[in-house]
Each structure stands twice: as C-alpha cells, then as structure tokens.
C-alpha cells in the first residue's frame, strides 16, 4: 500500500482522500504517538490546532479536535493562522505537539493535515510512519475527567505578531508595500504586522470566503500583484501562498524576485552583520547556479539538499545553520522559526530595503540568474535514470560543454513515471538545445516497453 504521508503531511481532495473519518483516525493515532506522556504534575498532554480558511478546514478541524480530545489531549484551537504561526505557538505554549490543516498553495477543493512535534519541529519520516502504523489500532479512550478539553487559543494571532515584530532591526516607516495574501491564512496577520512596523500597506487577496484561496492570487499567480505595485507606486510587493509558509516578491517595476534572489539578499545581509552561521546557506539542488556563483564570490558556501523544505530543515538542524530555503520562496530563519515563514521573510526583505535605502531591484542584482529550462520526460522507467550508461554519457558530454557556465540535473519524479531534465546555461539558446537533446536521450533510453505500459 502507498505511504499515506507525502513530503508535507497528508494531502488530497477534501471528502475524497481526506475525509472526516480519516482526520479523526489520524488525530487519534497522533495522540498515541505524540501525546503519550503526561507532564510531571500529571497534566494532560496539550496540542495546538490551526487551519487555513478553506471551507473544508472547518469540518476537518472539528474531526481532528474530536479525535485528540477523545484521546485525552487538551486542544488549543488557534483558528485561522499561517502554518509558521502554528509552529511558533507550539513552542511558545510548550505544547506537546500541534496540527496544521492546510493544502498550502493547492486549490480550494484540496486540504491537508500536517503534524508538528514539540518545539514546532516537523516530524521525521519514522514518526510519521509510526502514526500511520497506528491507524486501525485501538485508540486511547479515557473516560470522565481524563478526556481532553477544547479551548479557544484567544491570543494566538497577537502572540505571533509580537514575535514577528521582535525580529525587526528597525521600523519600516517610509516604505509603501503591496501585500498579496492569496485569500489565505495570512489575510489577517500579514497586513497588521506590516502596518504595525510602520509601512504604508496596500492589500490584495485578503478576502477569504473559504473557496477563493490561491484563486488567481498569491505566490503562484503574481499577475495581480505586479499590476498593483505599479499602479500604486509601491516600493515593492510581497506574495504569500495559502498557508503563508512561502514568500515571493515583486520590485517597483513589477519584476519578480524569486526565492533564490531573496536568499541571496538575506544571506549577504546576515554575513555582513556576522549572523550567518559558518557563512553557509542551505538550498536545494533546484536553486539557480547564479546563486551559488554570487555567494561563492562573497565567501558564502551553499550546502545542497534534495528538493523539499523538510530536507533543508534537516540540514540546517544538523549543522546549526541560520538560513536556508528554496527557489519557490520557502525561506527559513532558524534564529526565529522552525519552518518556512512567508510573513517573516517579507518583513526581513522590507528591513533590508528600509535599512540600506536601496531598492529591492538593486538588492536583487546581487545575483545574476542563469537561463534555466526544465523538460518533463513522461512514460519512462525513472528507476534507471541514475544507472543507464547512455544517459550518463549524454549528461557527461553536456556537462563538459557547459563547464563552469552551467549545469545539468536529472531528477526522477517522486509521484509520476517521469524524469525531470533541467539545464542551466549562459544563454537560453544553449540551455534549450542541450535540454532538448538530453530529454530525447532519456526518452529513447528509458522508454517503458509498450507491452509493460499497457
């Protein structure tokens, strides 16, 4: 049977894969695995539960809270909040664990359940496996005074906002910022924290109705943000996704500033202030080679991980590093957060613009993005991508031609029968030619025989 937990919790169509029954059972299983110990004073274990504003989050949260409380867990219902807020509050409350109900940047019909351990840390695979193994077993069924209680976490958003404001080195007066909240979890707190920090704020995508999350707005749809920044003469714009664990930006001319450029800006700033641990940035293999070149010239080393913010987090924890992230805009400041935080990232970008007096466009010039092309080669045996001699020879020839001015990455999909072929080069013509040639080799060499594909 396929593993229920994906790269970021359990996610799927609400009332399809993710039913109220499954949510209840997952919560009961998590209660056994994560909440099995009472505190020294005999108090019941505690869990924080938060969600994004999807309509389905209402019944899923109710099922999760029922599963937890019926298993002897006291529940603190934080309501609609970003994923990083939930992680922060778990640590701030010293809760035993927490649950975030969100499908992040997915459309409204989807939803997901993500568990955090004590301290707001993401769960390692083995703990997720233990929760999955507990499904179907007899849950904990305390009675009388041992059942858990559910209470509203009334100051949850305020605690999170105070925390965010405490990360700023100075206020943001003089800045005009457009915020696109994706009609998602940051619709309340992101405009409030930027305004509290002194910025003039224009807000779009902050009218969630349960069905419009990520619908033409947010970090996966930057068109409206680009238009709004130019229209209002703003210094820059910030885009969150549905659960606000990522951040992309737009400069004053409406040009996108992606996660790699954001990490370059912030890594250089942290190095200059002496706060970049060991002068290391942790990034994934998908980050643009231009980022590595720019930071290398500044004396900063990049530690590469597999794609996924959980792998970035693992590397950061293992090395005690202070900054990491992904091209998609998941940026992690380990001094302030245990996961990617789009509101925190936006604030730190704003602090650099305000503190240096430079435009975001100018700051983003810290790195030059190399042209990058990726082709998904479908219907192939991805298991042989790393071992086929013909593919290896083609990759070696491409790398020899590119030299220090580009790179090749072949990445089998984790969920589909396809191989992603990515090429970076000094110009798009070269990237296109080499990527197309390599994709052809992969298709020819790794093709699944027709009789097996049927």
């Amino acid at each position: 049977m396929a593993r229920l937990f994906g790269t970021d919790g359990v996610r799927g169509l609400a009332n399809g894969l993710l039913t109220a029954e499954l949510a209840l059972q997952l919560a009961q299983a998590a209660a056994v695995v994560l909440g099995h110990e009472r505190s020294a004073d005999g108090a019941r274990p505690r869990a924080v539960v938060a969600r994004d504003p999807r309509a389905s989050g209402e019944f899923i949260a109710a099922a999760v809270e029922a599963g937890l409380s019926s298993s002897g867990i006291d529940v603190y219902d934080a309501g609609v909040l970003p994923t990083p807020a939930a992680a922060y509050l778990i640590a701030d409350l010293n809760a035993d664990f927490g649950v975030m109900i969100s499908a992040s940047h997915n459309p409204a019909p989807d939803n997901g359940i993500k568990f955090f351990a004590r301290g707001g840390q993401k769960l390692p695979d083995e703990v997720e496996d233990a929760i999955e193994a507990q499904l179907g077993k007899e849950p904990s069924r305390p009675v009388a005074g041992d059942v858990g209680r559910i209470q509203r976490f009334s100051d949850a958003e305020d605690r999170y906002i105070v925390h965010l404001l405490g990360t700023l080195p100075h206020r943001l007066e003089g800045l005009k910022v457009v915020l696109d909240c994706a009609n998602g979890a940051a619709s309340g707190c992101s405009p409030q924290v930027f305004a509290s920090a002194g910025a003039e704020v224009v807000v779009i995508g902050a009218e969630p109705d349960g069905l419009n999350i990520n619908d033409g707005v947010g970090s996966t749809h930057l068109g409206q943000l680009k238009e709004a920044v130019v229209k209002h003469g703003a210094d820059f714009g910030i885009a969150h996704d549905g659960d606000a664990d990522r951040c992309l930006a737009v400069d004053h001319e409406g040009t996108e500033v992606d996660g790699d450029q954001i990490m370059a800006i912030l890594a250089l700033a942290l190095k200059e202030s002496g706060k970049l641990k060991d002068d290391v940035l942790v990034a994934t293999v998908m980050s643009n080679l231009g980022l590595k070149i720019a930071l290398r010239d500044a004396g900063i080393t990049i530690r590469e991980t597999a794609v996924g913010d959980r792998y970035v987090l693992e590397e950061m924890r293992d090395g005690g590093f202070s900054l990491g992230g992904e091209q998609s805009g998941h940026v992690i400041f380990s001094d302030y957060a245990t996961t990617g935080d789009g509101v925190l990232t936006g604030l730190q970008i704003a602090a650099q613009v305000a503190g240096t007096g430079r435009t975001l466009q100018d700051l983003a010039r810290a790195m030059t993005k190399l042209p990058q092309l990726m082709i998904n080669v479908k219907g192939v045996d991805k298991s042989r991508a790393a071992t086929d001699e013909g593919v290896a020879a083609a990759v070696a020839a491409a790398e020899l031609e590119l030299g220090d001015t580009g790179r090749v990455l072949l990445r089998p999909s984790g969920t589909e029968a396809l191989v992603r072929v990515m090429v970076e080069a000094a110009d798009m013509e070269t990237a296109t030619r080499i990527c197309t040639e390599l994709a052809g080799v992969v298709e020819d060499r790794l093709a699944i025989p027709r009789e097996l594909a049927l």
Side-chain angles (χ1 to χ4, degrees), residues 159-173:
R159 288 197 194 198
Y160 177 56
I161 288 173
V162 169
H163 161 65
L164 291 174
L165 291 171
T167 70
L168 283 172
H170 47 74
R171 291 182 57 77
L172 305 179
E173 273 85 6

Side-chain angles (χ1 to χ4, degrees), residues 48-52 57 61 65 76-83 85-87 89 98-102 112 114:
V48 173
V49 177
R51 63 181 180 88
D52 72 24
E65 292 179 3
Y76 287 74
D77 182 349
V80 174
L81 279 178
T83 291
L89 291 165
V99 188
M100 181 66 196
I101 298 160
S102 173
K114 184 178 348 185

